[in-house]
């Protein structure tokens, strides 16, 4: 069953076409890895899907409804940003931050459950700014989960996190997808991790040049090589420009 | 002598009004400080100066014109800030200077400074009437109820606007609400500390409380405690030593702040780094 459908999505910034006629759909319980080099349009795609950017042509449907018309879908979507951005000295405990994601009349017990799910319950009374980036990202996952979302969108969530925390993080994502049947849409640079975790892959570089089953992408050496070269070229280009 | 103070009607009104204003300023101020909007109170108060001058010139109760002018200018400047992407500090500077400029022109048209305008500049809590006290209590009650009802939306949009928006919080409306509430709070507080010292009441107790508080609720309660104690002791000291209440109240807030940073520099208040270190040790070696 299709729960997200993107048709002919095009986003233009002054002088740049960030996304060009992108179309694909996401099925219930998919674990979709979105890969692409820096500047490929992954974050732009997410900002459109989350209703933060409405300056696009084409259409995005969540649960069969156009998100330009119906905003209710946001209640079923959890979002984890690339980096947990907040005022460093913000006086809020881990529990208070997670509670922010609780729906009106939501059950307080749910806060404890999600804190347990992401292995952060022991830190629930700590001030958020005192935690490591990896721990903060787990708090942000808990905040996204406390509203019982059907879809979890993650924008390169392990950037700047150490290897051990990254492994733990991936383990949590797998469990959420397999045991709690949460559809996961996850942007990542880590091809190995996408190969290991995702059942579907969308390869983006302003245009969508692959969308399909993960095995199909990773067993096609030409596709992987093409992606790696494009990614490397972008990286080198950015490096030279900077 | 000390107990006798409390039998005077003007002192009872001053204390009741002062406590209500302190409560309001610390709660509303916490949201402003955390949004890096600390000087917003100052800017609204200065635009209230223009409103007060207009009221005195045309013979209307100056507080009413102050409410109208402050709220309109605060909402207009917020709209301009969002629409033209002007930084918070620049918009505060525009609001602040335009309020003073309008006020000065109106005062010069009305024949110069007088006692009335000075009482608004420096506060006159010992002169509040029964009607003023009722108005202050009413506004405090209404604003606190609004904050309690929209607590999640207010704290979430203060913590991270983008995340709040994605979670369905109507962030733009909440931002206007904060500006509106802050505008009312500022004008209401003018009677306690005056236009010139208003931001002290919004900022100092909150900055002090943030150094102690671990949670948002704890920080808000500490801020209220610091503000209310400064107001009560400040009013009593001002009466006993015949000094201006506004000056005494703000100096007490500053004294609490100074004591806090002294304690912190002596290591008697845990810094974030120390807390992390303890957390690490307890996780790995206990």
């Amino acid at each position: 069953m299709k729960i997200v459908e993107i048709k002919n999505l095009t986003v233009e910034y002054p002088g740049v076409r960030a996304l060009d006629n992108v179309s694909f759909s996401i099925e219930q319980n998919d674990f979709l890895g979105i890969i692409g080099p820096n500047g490929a349009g992954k974050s732009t795609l997410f900002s459109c899907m989350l209703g933060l950017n409405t300056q696009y042509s084409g259409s995005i449907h969540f649960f069969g409804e156009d998100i330009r018309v119906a905003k209710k879908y946001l209640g079923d979507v959890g979002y984890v940003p690339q980096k947990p951005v907040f005022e460093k000295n913000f006086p809020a405990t881990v529990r208070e931050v997670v509670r922010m994601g609780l729906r009106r009349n939501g059950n307080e017990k749910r806060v404890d459950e999600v804190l347990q799910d992401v292995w952060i319950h022991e830190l629930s009374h700590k001030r958020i700014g005192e935690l490591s980036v990896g721990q903060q990202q787990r708090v942000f996952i808990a905040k996204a989960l406390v509203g019982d979302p059907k879809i979890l969108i993650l924008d390169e969530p392990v950037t700047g996190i150490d290897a051990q925390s990254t492994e733990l993080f991936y383990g949590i994502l797998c469990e959420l997808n397999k045991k709690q049947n949460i559809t996961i849409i996850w942007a990542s640079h880590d091809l190995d991790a996408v190969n290991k975790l995702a059942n579907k892959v969308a390869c983006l570089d302003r245009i969508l040049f692959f969308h399909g089953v993960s095995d199909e992408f990773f067993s096609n050496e030409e596709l992987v090589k093409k992606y790696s070269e494009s990614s490397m070229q972008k990286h080198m280009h950015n490096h030279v420009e900077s | 002598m000390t107990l006798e103070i409390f039998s005077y009607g003007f002192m009872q009104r001053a204390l009741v009004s002062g406590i209500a204003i302190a409560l309001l300023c610390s709660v509303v101020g916490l949201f402003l400080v955390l949004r890096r909007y600390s000087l917003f109170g100052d800017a609204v108060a200065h635009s209230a100066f223009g409103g007060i001058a207009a009221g005195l010139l045309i013979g209307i109760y100056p507080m009413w014109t102050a409410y109208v002018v402050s709220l309109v200018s605060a909402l207009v400047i917020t709209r301009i800030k969002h629409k033209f992407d002007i930084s918070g500090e620049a918009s505060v500077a525009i609001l602040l200077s335009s309020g003073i400029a309008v006020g000065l022109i109106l005062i010069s048209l009305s024949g110069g400074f007088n006692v009335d305008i000075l009482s608004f500049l420096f506060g006159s809590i010992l002169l509040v009437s029964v009607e003023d006290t009722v108005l202050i209590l009413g506004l405090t009650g209404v604003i606190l109820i609004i904050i309690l009802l929209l607590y999640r939306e207010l704290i979430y949009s203060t913590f991270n606007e983008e995340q709040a928006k994605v979670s369905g919080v109507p962030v733009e409306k909440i931002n206007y609400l904060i500006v509106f509430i802050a505008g009312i709070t500022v004008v209401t507080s003018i009677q306690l500390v005056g236009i010139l010292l208003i931001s002290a009441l919004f900022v100092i107790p909150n900055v002090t409380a943030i150094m102690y508080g671990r949670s948002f609720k704890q920080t808000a309660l500490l801020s209220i405690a610091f503000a209310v104690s400064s107001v009560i002791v400040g009013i009593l000291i001002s009466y006993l030593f015949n000094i201006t209440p506004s000056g005494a109240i703000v100096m007490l807030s500053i004294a609490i702040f100074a004591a806090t940073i002294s304690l912190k520099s002596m290591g008697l208040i845990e810094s974030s780094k120390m807390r992390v270190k303890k957390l690490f040790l307890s996780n790995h070696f206990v």
Side-chain angles (χ1 to χ4, degrees), chain A residues 59-93:
Chain A
S59 67
I60 303 172
H61 285 75
F62 270 71
F63 311 106
E65 287 191 278
D66 191 328
I67 63 166
R68 275 181 164 145
V69 183
K71 293 278 175 204
K72 251 171 49 186
Y73 79 102
L74 286 173
D76 287 318
V77 176
Y79 169 59
V80 181
Q82 193 171 35
K83 265 187 180 173
V85 179
F86 57 89
E87 175 68 38
K88 194 181 145 233
N89 288 320
F90 198 95
T93 59

Side-chain angles (χ1 to χ4, degrees), chain A residues 91 96 100 127 130 143, chain B residues 152 156 160 163 213 216 275:
Chain A
E96 281 179 321
M100 289 176 198
R127 200 162 160 167
E130 293 173 355
K143 182 167 70 61
Chain B
R152 175 192 169 252
Y156 201 172
N160 184 314
Q163 290 263 307
F216 192 86
R275 284 182 194 157

Side-chain angles (χ1 to χ4, degrees), chain A residues 125-164:
Chain A
H125 295 293
K126 299 291 170 196
R127 200 162 160 167
I128 182 75
E130 293 173 355
L131 308 190
S132 70
V133 180
Q135 288 167 331
Q136 285 171 359
Q137 267 310 35
R138 275 189 275 155
V139 175
F140 273 64
I141 284 213
K143 182 167 70 61
L145 291 175
V146 79
D148 293 318
K150 293 185 176 113
I151 301 171
L152 192 58
I153 296 178
L154 305 104
D155 188 2
E156 298 181 34
V158 292
T159 308
I161 299 180
D162 61 86
Q164 199 185 349

Side-chain angles (χ1 to χ4, degrees), chain B residues 4 12 23 39 45 74 103 120 181 260 263:
Chain B
E4 195 185 309
Q12 290 166 357
L23 187 71
L39 283 176
F120 288 111
I181 286 175
T260 301
L263 290 173

Side-chain angles (χ1 to χ4, degrees), chain A residues 93-100 108 111-112 115 124-125:
Chain A
T93 59
V94 167
R95 172 175 285 276
E96 281 179 321
V97 172
V98 174
R99 280 191 86 254
M100 289 176 198
E108 186 71 29
V111 177
D112 291 305
L115 285 168
S124 66
H125 295 293

Side-chain angles (χ1 to χ4, degrees), chain B residues 117-130:
Chain B
I117 201 85
L118 290 178
S119 73
F120 288 111
L121 282 176
F122 300 108
S124 54
I125 194 66
L126 297 176
L127 301 177
V128 287
S129 62
V130 176

Side-chain angles (χ1 to χ4, degrees), chain A residues 50 52 74 79 81 85-87 90-93 96 100 102 104 123 125-127 130 140 143, chain B residues 34 36 149 152-153 155-156 158-160 162-163 165-166 210 213-217 219 275-276 279:
Chain A
L50 294 165
L52 297 170
L74 286 173
Y79 169 59
V85 179
F86 57 89
E87 175 68 38
F90 198 95
T93 59
E96 281 179 321
M100 289 176 198
L102 198 63
R104 253 182 203 284
L123 305 172
H125 295 293
K126 299 291 170 196
R127 200 162 160 167
E130 293 173 355
F140 273 64
K143 182 167 70 61
Chain B
L34 291 172
R36 293 177 174 257
L149 288 175
R152 175 192 169 252
E153 285 79 3
I155 187 175
Y156 201 172
T158 305
F159 181 70
N160 184 314
E162 189 183 77
Q163 290 263 307
K165 216 179 259 182
V166 169
I210 288 170
R214 190 175 287 274
S215 69
F216 192 86
K217 278 182 188 159
T219 308
R275 284 182 194 157
V276 175
L279 190 65

